[in-house]
Amino acid sequence: MNKYIKIANWVFTALFCFIMLYSATMYLTKYEMVKGFFETLGYPSYLIYPLAILKILGVITLLANFNKTLKEWAYSAFFFEVILAFFAHYMIKDGGGGTALVALFLLALSYFFWKKTNLKSNKE
């Protein structure tokens, strides 16, 4: 059973990280387009590059096991980022919150299975 929990953890984490890396790549390569989205959502465009860098650092933190506390902070930061993204889309009613909901679902599953993996490894 422990093997399936680890596989589920890596699958959901990889899928979530793919979404975040795709988003960060868009922020870095399609600045003008993303700037338009940010302005439509009411966010300042100077957040684009810092958010891209932080998303990349967060993905690295989730995929590498540097420190459990740092990983908890990365999960927390991603949770708030995805929730804020969903509500930004919801408030302007542009229908763009679907990706944020998918990301939230994947993030929750990733976190759940990561915690289960840690509980299993701590008991052994």
PDB file of all heavy atoms in Angstrom, residues 73-103:
ATOM      1  N   TRP A  73       5.787  25.437   3.802  1.00  0.00           N
ATOM      2  CA  TRP A  73       5.606  26.845   3.410  1.00  0.00           C
ATOM      3  C   TRP A  73       5.298  26.952   1.919  1.00  0.00           C
ATOM      4  O   TRP A  73       4.485  27.782   1.509  1.00  0.00           O
ATOM      5  CB  TRP A  73       6.855  27.648   3.760  1.00  0.00           C
ATOM      6  CG  TRP A  73       6.923  28.048   5.199  1.00  0.00           C
ATOM      7  CD1 TRP A  73       6.814  27.238   6.288  1.00  0.00           C
ATOM      8  CD2 TRP A  73       7.115  29.360   5.706  1.00  0.00           C
ATOM      9  NE1 TRP A  73       6.939  27.966   7.432  1.00  0.00           N
ATOM     10  CE2 TRP A  73       7.127  29.275   7.099  1.00  0.00           C
ATOM     11  CE3 TRP A  73       7.297  30.597   5.107  1.00  0.00           C
ATOM     12  CZ2 TRP A  73       7.295  30.384   7.914  1.00  0.00           C
ATOM     13  CZ3 TRP A  73       7.473  31.700   5.933  1.00  0.00           C
ATOM     14  CH2 TRP A  73       7.457  31.576   7.301  1.00  0.00           C
ATOM     15  N   ALA A  74       5.950  26.139   1.119  1.00  0.00           N
ATOM     16  CA  ALA A  74       5.687  26.158  -0.326  1.00  0.00           C
ATOM     17  C   ALA A  74       4.250  25.718  -0.605  1.00  0.00           C
ATOM     18  O   ALA A  74       3.556  26.339  -1.415  1.00  0.00           O
ATOM     19  CB  ALA A  74       6.681  25.257  -1.058  1.00  0.00           C
ATOM     20  N   TYR A  75       3.801  24.660   0.058  1.00  0.00           N
ATOM     21  CA  TYR A  75       2.412  24.227  -0.105  1.00  0.00           C
ATOM     22  C   TYR A  75       1.455  25.349   0.307  1.00  0.00           C
ATOM     23  O   TYR A  75       0.469  25.627  -0.372  1.00  0.00           O
ATOM     24  CB  TYR A  75       2.115  22.968   0.728  1.00  0.00           C
ATOM     25  CG  TYR A  75       2.439  21.674   0.035  1.00  0.00           C
ATOM     26  CD1 TYR A  75       3.441  20.831   0.510  1.00  0.00           C
ATOM     27  CD2 TYR A  75       1.720  21.260  -1.078  1.00  0.00           C
ATOM     28  CE1 TYR A  75       3.724  19.629  -0.121  1.00  0.00           C
ATOM     29  CE2 TYR A  75       1.997  20.066  -1.719  1.00  0.00           C
ATOM     30  CZ  TYR A  75       3.002  19.252  -1.230  1.00  0.00           C
ATOM     31  OH  TYR A  75       3.276  18.067  -1.851  1.00  0.00           O
ATOM     32  N   SER A  76       1.757  25.998   1.420  1.00  0.00           N
ATOM     33  CA  SER A  76       0.918  27.089   1.900  1.00  0.00           C
ATOM     34  C   SER A  76       0.886  28.247   0.901  1.00  0.00           C
ATOM     35  O   SER A  76      -0.193  28.778   0.591  1.00  0.00           O
ATOM     36  CB  SER A  76       1.437  27.573   3.251  1.00  0.00           C
ATOM     37  OG  SER A  76       0.720  28.681   3.695  1.00  0.00           O
ATOM     38  N   ALA A  77       2.036  28.628   0.403  1.00  0.00           N
ATOM     39  CA  ALA A  77       2.107  29.736  -0.561  1.00  0.00           C
ATOM     40  C   ALA A  77       1.335  29.400  -1.837  1.00  0.00           C
ATOM     41  O   ALA A  77       0.594  30.241  -2.359  1.00  0.00           O
ATOM     42  CB  ALA A  77       3.569  30.049  -0.890  1.00  0.00           C
ATOM     43  N   PHE A  78       1.496  28.174  -2.320  1.00  0.00           N
ATOM     44  CA  PHE A  78       0.756  27.767  -3.513  1.00  0.00           C
ATOM     45  C   PHE A  78      -0.750  27.739  -3.254  1.00  0.00           C
ATOM     46  O   PHE A  78      -1.545  28.089  -4.118  1.00  0.00           O
ATOM     47  CB  PHE A  78       1.226  26.412  -4.028  1.00  0.00           C
ATOM     48  CG  PHE A  78       2.453  26.471  -4.876  1.00  0.00           C
ATOM     49  CD1 PHE A  78       3.525  25.631  -4.626  1.00  0.00           C
ATOM     50  CD2 PHE A  78       2.551  27.350  -5.942  1.00  0.00           C
ATOM     51  CE1 PHE A  78       4.655  25.664  -5.414  1.00  0.00           C
ATOM     52  CE2 PHE A  78       3.676  27.401  -6.734  1.00  0.00           C
ATOM     53  CZ  PHE A  78       4.737  26.554  -6.475  1.00  0.00           C
ATOM     54  N   PHE A  79      -1.144  27.327  -2.053  1.00  0.00           N
ATOM     55  CA  PHE A  79      -2.561  27.319  -1.706  1.00  0.00           C
ATOM     56  C   PHE A  79      -3.143  28.732  -1.825  1.00  0.00           C
ATOM     57  O   PHE A  79      -4.172  28.938  -2.472  1.00  0.00           O
ATOM     58  CB  PHE A  79      -2.766  26.777  -0.288  1.00  0.00           C
ATOM     59  CG  PHE A  79      -4.180  26.898   0.197  1.00  0.00           C
ATOM     60  CD1 PHE A  79      -5.148  26.010  -0.229  1.00  0.00           C
ATOM     61  CD2 PHE A  79      -4.539  27.913   1.072  1.00  0.00           C
ATOM     62  CE1 PHE A  79      -6.465  26.130   0.206  1.00  0.00           C
ATOM     63  CE2 PHE A  79      -5.848  28.038   1.516  1.00  0.00           C
ATOM     64  CZ  PHE A  79      -6.810  27.141   1.085  1.00  0.00           C
ATOM     65  N   PHE A  80      -2.471  29.696  -1.223  1.00  0.00           N
ATOM     66  CA  PHE A  80      -2.973  31.071  -1.274  1.00  0.00           C
ATOM     67  C   PHE A  80      -2.920  31.623  -2.695  1.00  0.00           C
ATOM     68  O   PHE A  80      -3.834  32.340  -3.126  1.00  0.00           O
ATOM     69  CB  PHE A  80      -2.208  31.971  -0.306  1.00  0.00           C
ATOM     70  CG  PHE A  80      -2.579  31.717   1.122  1.00  0.00           C
ATOM     71  CD1 PHE A  80      -1.683  31.118   1.992  1.00  0.00           C
ATOM     72  CD2 PHE A  80      -3.839  32.055   1.594  1.00  0.00           C
ATOM     73  CE1 PHE A  80      -2.035  30.875   3.309  1.00  0.00           C
ATOM     74  CE2 PHE A  80      -4.206  31.807   2.911  1.00  0.00           C
ATOM     75  CZ  PHE A  80      -3.295  31.214   3.776  1.00  0.00           C
ATOM     76  N   GLU A  81      -1.884  31.295  -3.447  1.00  0.00           N
ATOM     77  CA  GLU A  81      -1.770  31.775  -4.826  1.00  0.00           C
ATOM     78  C   GLU A  81      -2.922  31.255  -5.680  1.00  0.00           C
ATOM     79  O   GLU A  81      -3.542  32.005  -6.431  1.00  0.00           O
ATOM     80  CB  GLU A  81      -0.411  31.337  -5.412  1.00  0.00           C
ATOM     81  CG  GLU A  81      -0.048  32.034  -6.709  1.00  0.00           C
ATOM     82  CD  GLU A  81      -0.607  31.351  -7.940  1.00  0.00           C
ATOM     83  OE1 GLU A  81      -0.866  30.136  -7.887  1.00  0.00           O
ATOM     84  OE2 GLU A  81      -0.776  32.038  -8.954  1.00  0.00           O
ATOM     85  N   VAL A  82      -3.245  29.985  -5.526  1.00  0.00           N
ATOM     86  CA  VAL A  82      -4.304  29.377  -6.335  1.00  0.00           C
ATOM     87  C   VAL A  82      -5.686  29.888  -5.898  1.00  0.00           C
ATOM     88  O   VAL A  82      -6.531  30.188  -6.742  1.00  0.00           O
ATOM     89  CB  VAL A  82      -4.219  27.832  -6.257  1.00  0.00           C
ATOM     90  CG1 VAL A  82      -5.408  27.180  -6.906  1.00  0.00           C
ATOM     91  CG2 VAL A  82      -2.931  27.345  -6.905  1.00  0.00           C
ATOM     92  N   ILE A  83      -5.895  30.023  -4.602  1.00  0.00           N
ATOM     93  CA  ILE A  83      -7.171  30.550  -4.108  1.00  0.00           C
ATOM     94  C   ILE A  83      -7.374  31.983  -4.596  1.00  0.00           C
ATOM     95  O   ILE A  83      -8.460  32.343  -5.070  1.00  0.00           O
ATOM     96  CB  ILE A  83      -7.225  30.501  -2.560  1.00  0.00           C
ATOM     97  CG1 ILE A  83      -7.366  29.065  -2.072  1.00  0.00           C
ATOM     98  CG2 ILE A  83      -8.357  31.365  -2.002  1.00  0.00           C
ATOM     99  CD1 ILE A  83      -8.699  28.415  -2.361  1.00  0.00           C
ATOM    100  N   LEU A  84      -6.335  32.809  -4.494  1.00  0.00           N
ATOM    101  CA  LEU A  84      -6.446  34.197  -4.960  1.00  0.00           C
ATOM    102  C   LEU A  84      -6.670  34.263  -6.467  1.00  0.00           C
ATOM    103  O   LEU A  84      -7.431  35.114  -6.950  1.00  0.00           O
ATOM    104  CB  LEU A  84      -5.211  34.994  -4.553  1.00  0.00           C
ATOM    105  CG  LEU A  84      -5.082  35.268  -3.051  1.00  0.00           C
ATOM    106  CD1 LEU A  84      -3.725  35.894  -2.743  1.00  0.00           C
ATOM    107  CD2 LEU A  84      -6.205  36.156  -2.562  1.00  0.00           C
ATOM    108  N   ALA A  85      -6.033  33.375  -7.209  1.00  0.00           N
ATOM    109  CA  ALA A  85      -6.238  33.345  -8.662  1.00  0.00           C
ATOM    110  C   ALA A  85      -7.685  32.973  -8.984  1.00  0.00           C
ATOM    111  O   ALA A  85      -8.317  33.596  -9.840  1.00  0.00           O
ATOM    112  CB  ALA A  85      -5.278  32.345  -9.308  1.00  0.00           C
ATOM    113  N   PHE A  86      -8.207  31.972  -8.284  1.00  0.00           N
ATOM    114  CA  PHE A  86      -9.595  31.580  -8.533  1.00  0.00           C
ATOM    115  C   PHE A  86     -10.549  32.735  -8.257  1.00  0.00           C
ATOM    116  O   PHE A  86     -11.416  33.056  -9.075  1.00  0.00           O
ATOM    117  CB  PHE A  86      -9.992  30.365  -7.687  1.00  0.00           C
ATOM    118  CG  PHE A  86     -11.466  30.089  -7.751  1.00  0.00           C
ATOM    119  CD1 PHE A  86     -12.020  29.510  -8.879  1.00  0.00           C
ATOM    120  CD2 PHE A  86     -12.305  30.460  -6.708  1.00  0.00           C
ATOM    121  CE1 PHE A  86     -13.390  29.276  -8.964  1.00  0.00           C
ATOM    122  CE2 PHE A  86     -13.669  30.238  -6.792  1.00  0.00           C
ATOM    123  CZ  PHE A  86     -14.218  29.645  -7.914  1.00  0.00           C
ATOM    124  N   PHE A  87     -10.416  33.365  -7.097  1.00  0.00           N
ATOM    125  CA  PHE A  87     -11.344  34.433  -6.748  1.00  0.00           C
ATOM    126  C   PHE A  87     -11.160  35.679  -7.604  1.00  0.00           C
ATOM    127  O   PHE A  87     -12.131  36.412  -7.849  1.00  0.00           O
ATOM    128  CB  PHE A  87     -11.281  34.756  -5.254  1.00  0.00           C
ATOM    129  CG  PHE A  87     -12.078  33.784  -4.441  1.00  0.00           C
ATOM    130  CD1 PHE A  87     -11.448  32.819  -3.675  1.00  0.00           C
ATOM    131  CD2 PHE A  87     -13.463  33.793  -4.480  1.00  0.00           C
ATOM    132  CE1 PHE A  87     -12.176  31.901  -2.950  1.00  0.00           C
ATOM    133  CE2 PHE A  87     -14.211  32.870  -3.766  1.00  0.00           C
ATOM    134  CZ  PHE A  87     -13.571  31.923  -2.991  1.00  0.00           C
ATOM    135  N   ALA A  88      -9.966  35.926  -8.094  1.00  0.00           N
ATOM    136  CA  ALA A  88      -9.770  37.048  -9.017  1.00  0.00           C
ATOM    137  C   ALA A  88     -10.583  36.816 -10.283  1.00  0.00           C
ATOM    138  O   ALA A  88     -11.274  37.721 -10.762  1.00  0.00           O
ATOM    139  CB  ALA A  88      -8.287  37.206  -9.353  1.00  0.00           C
ATOM    140  N   HIS A  89     -10.527  35.595 -10.814  1.00  0.00           N
ATOM    141  CA  HIS A  89     -11.316  35.274 -12.009  1.00  0.00           C
ATOM    142  C   HIS A  89     -12.814  35.271 -11.696  1.00  0.00           C
ATOM    143  O   HIS A  89     -13.621  35.735 -12.501  1.00  0.00           O
ATOM    144  CB  HIS A  89     -10.903  33.917 -12.580  1.00  0.00           C
ATOM    145  CG  HIS A  89      -9.581  33.932 -13.257  1.00  0.00           C
ATOM    146  ND1 HIS A  89      -9.372  34.531 -14.471  1.00  0.00           N
ATOM    147  CD2 HIS A  89      -8.379  33.410 -12.884  1.00  0.00           C
ATOM    148  CE1 HIS A  89      -8.112  34.380 -14.821  1.00  0.00           C
ATOM    149  NE2 HIS A  89      -7.491  33.709 -13.872  1.00  0.00           N
ATOM    150  N   TYR A  90     -13.165  34.741 -10.542  1.00  0.00           N
ATOM    151  CA  TYR A  90     -14.578  34.679 -10.158  1.00  0.00           C
ATOM    152  C   TYR A  90     -15.182  36.076 -10.021  1.00  0.00           C
ATOM    153  O   TYR A  90     -16.302  36.320 -10.461  1.00  0.00           O
ATOM    154  CB  TYR A  90     -14.722  33.908  -8.837  1.00  0.00           C
ATOM    155  CG  TYR A  90     -16.131  33.868  -8.323  1.00  0.00           C
ATOM    156  CD1 TYR A  90     -17.064  33.000  -8.881  1.00  0.00           C
ATOM    157  CD2 TYR A  90     -16.533  34.706  -7.281  1.00  0.00           C
ATOM    158  CE1 TYR A  90     -18.371  32.969  -8.420  1.00  0.00           C
ATOM    159  CE2 TYR A  90     -17.836  34.680  -6.811  1.00  0.00           C
ATOM    160  CZ  TYR A  90     -18.748  33.812  -7.378  1.00  0.00           C
ATOM    161  OH  TYR A  90     -20.033  33.787  -6.928  1.00  0.00           O
ATOM    162  N   MET A  91     -14.444  36.991  -9.426  1.00  0.00           N
ATOM    163  CA  MET A  91     -14.973  38.341  -9.172  1.00  0.00           C
ATOM    164  C   MET A  91     -15.215  39.124 -10.464  1.00  0.00           C
ATOM    165  O   MET A  91     -16.133  39.930 -10.525  1.00  0.00           O
ATOM    166  CB  MET A  91     -14.043  39.127  -8.243  1.00  0.00           C
ATOM    167  CG  MET A  91     -13.958  38.547  -6.840  1.00  0.00           C
ATOM    168  SD  MET A  91     -15.551  38.319  -6.034  1.00  0.00           S
ATOM    169  CE  MET A  91     -15.999  40.001  -5.705  1.00  0.00           C
ATOM    170  N   ILE A  92     -14.384  38.895 -11.494  1.00  0.00           N
ATOM    171  CA  ILE A  92     -14.635  39.620 -12.743  1.00  0.00           C
ATOM    172  C   ILE A  92     -15.475  38.794 -13.720  1.00  0.00           C
ATOM    173  O   ILE A  92     -15.776  39.253 -14.803  1.00  0.00           O
ATOM    174  CB  ILE A  92     -13.317  40.087 -13.413  1.00  0.00           C
ATOM    175  CG1 ILE A  92     -12.495  38.910 -13.904  1.00  0.00           C
ATOM    176  CG2 ILE A  92     -12.529  40.981 -12.506  1.00  0.00           C
ATOM    177  CD1 ILE A  92     -11.403  39.322 -14.872  1.00  0.00           C
ATOM    178  N   LYS A  93     -15.812  37.584 -13.309  1.00  0.00           N
ATOM    179  CA  LYS A  93     -16.702  36.704 -14.074  1.00  0.00           C
ATOM    180  C   LYS A  93     -16.233  36.482 -15.512  1.00  0.00           C
ATOM    181  O   LYS A  93     -16.993  36.599 -16.456  1.00  0.00           O
ATOM    182  CB  LYS A  93     -18.126  37.250 -14.047  1.00  0.00           C
ATOM    183  CG  LYS A  93     -18.705  37.312 -12.649  1.00  0.00           C
ATOM    184  CD  LYS A  93     -20.119  37.790 -12.630  1.00  0.00           C
ATOM    185  CE  LYS A  93     -20.724  37.975 -11.279  1.00  0.00           C
ATOM    186  NZ  LYS A  93     -20.063  37.638 -10.099  1.00  0.00           N
ATOM    187  N   ASP A  94     -14.930  36.140 -15.636  1.00  0.00           N
ATOM    188  CA  ASP A  94     -14.392  35.873 -16.972  1.00  0.00           C
ATOM    189  C   ASP A  94     -14.350  34.379 -17.298  1.00  0.00           C
ATOM    190  O   ASP A  94     -13.954  33.993 -18.382  1.00  0.00           O
ATOM    191  CB  ASP A  94     -13.000  36.493 -17.140  1.00  0.00           C
ATOM    192  CG  ASP A  94     -11.925  35.794 -16.324  1.00  0.00           C
ATOM    193  OD1 ASP A  94     -12.258  34.959 -15.461  1.00  0.00           O
ATOM    194  OD2 ASP A  94     -10.742  36.095 -16.544  1.00  0.00           O
ATOM    195  N   GLY A  95     -14.762  33.537 -16.353  1.00  0.00           N
ATOM    196  CA  GLY A  95     -14.776  32.099 -16.588  1.00  0.00           C
ATOM    197  C   GLY A  95     -13.408  31.451 -16.585  1.00  0.00           C
ATOM    198  O   GLY A  95     -13.270  30.311 -17.001  1.00  0.00           O
ATOM    199  N   GLY A  96     -12.398  32.163 -16.109  1.00  0.00           N
ATOM    200  CA  GLY A  96     -11.037  31.639 -16.132  1.00  0.00           C
ATOM    201  C   GLY A  96     -10.588  30.952 -14.868  1.00  0.00           C
ATOM    202  O   GLY A  96      -9.408  30.674 -14.706  1.00  0.00           O
ATOM    203  N   GLY A  97     -11.495  30.665 -13.971  1.00  0.00           N
ATOM    204  CA  GLY A  97     -11.106  30.060 -12.697  1.00  0.00           C
ATOM    205  C   GLY A  97     -10.972  28.554 -12.729  1.00  0.00           C
ATOM    206  O   GLY A  97     -10.554  27.949 -11.745  1.00  0.00           O
ATOM    207  N   GLY A  98     -11.284  27.920 -13.853  1.00  0.00           N
ATOM    208  CA  GLY A  98     -11.233  26.460 -13.937  1.00  0.00           C
ATOM    209  C   GLY A  98      -9.848  25.887 -13.708  1.00  0.00           C
ATOM    210  O   GLY A  98      -9.690  24.904 -12.982  1.00  0.00           O
ATOM    211  N   THR A  99      -8.855  26.503 -14.298  1.00  0.00           N
ATOM    212  CA  THR A  99      -7.479  26.020 -14.113  1.00  0.00           C
ATOM    213  C   THR A  99      -7.064  26.146 -12.662  1.00  0.00           C
ATOM    214  O   THR A  99      -6.389  25.266 -12.123  1.00  0.00           O
ATOM    215  CB  THR A  99      -6.497  26.799 -15.016  1.00  0.00           C
ATOM    216  OG1 THR A  99      -6.940  26.687 -16.364  1.00  0.00           O
ATOM    217  CG2 THR A  99      -5.093  26.247 -14.899  1.00  0.00           C
ATOM    218  N   ALA A 100      -7.485  27.223 -12.014  1.00  0.00           N
ATOM    219  CA  ALA A 100      -7.163  27.404 -10.598  1.00  0.00           C
ATOM    220  C   ALA A 100      -7.818  26.316  -9.751  1.00  0.00           C
ATOM    221  O   ALA A 100      -7.206  25.814  -8.801  1.00  0.00           O
ATOM    222  CB  ALA A 100      -7.586  28.791 -10.130  1.00  0.00           C
ATOM    223  N   LEU A 101      -9.047  25.943 -10.089  1.00  0.00           N
ATOM    224  CA  LEU A 101      -9.709  24.863  -9.344  1.00  0.00           C
ATOM    225  C   LEU A 101      -9.010  23.522  -9.550  1.00  0.00           C
ATOM    226  O   LEU A 101      -8.846  22.754  -8.601  1.00  0.00           O
ATOM    227  CB  LEU A 101     -11.177  24.763  -9.742  1.00  0.00           C
ATOM    228  CG  LEU A 101     -12.099  25.829  -9.180  1.00  0.00           C
ATOM    229  CD1 LEU A 101     -13.525  25.617  -9.688  1.00  0.00           C
ATOM    230  CD2 LEU A 101     -12.079  25.819  -7.665  1.00  0.00           C
ATOM    231  N   VAL A 102      -8.604  23.249 -10.783  1.00  0.00           N
ATOM    232  CA  VAL A 102      -7.852  22.018 -11.057  1.00  0.00           C
ATOM    233  C   VAL A 102      -6.547  22.029 -10.272  1.00  0.00           C
ATOM    234  O   VAL A 102      -6.169  21.033  -9.650  1.00  0.00           O
ATOM    235  CB  VAL A 102      -7.593  21.856 -12.571  1.00  0.00           C
ATOM    236  CG1 VAL A 102      -6.610  20.727 -12.843  1.00  0.00           C
ATOM    237  CG2 VAL A 102      -8.896  21.613 -13.309  1.00  0.00           C
ATOM    238  N   ALA A 103      -5.861  23.171 -10.287  1.00  0.00           N
ATOM    239  CA  ALA A 103      -4.599  23.290  -9.552  1.00  0.00           C
ATOM    240  C   ALA A 103      -4.834  23.098  -8.054  1.00  0.00           C
ATOM    241  O   ALA A 103      -4.040  22.430  -7.382  1.00  0.00           O
ATOM    242  CB  ALA A 103      -3.945  24.643  -9.826  1.00  0.00           C
TER     243      ALA A 103
END
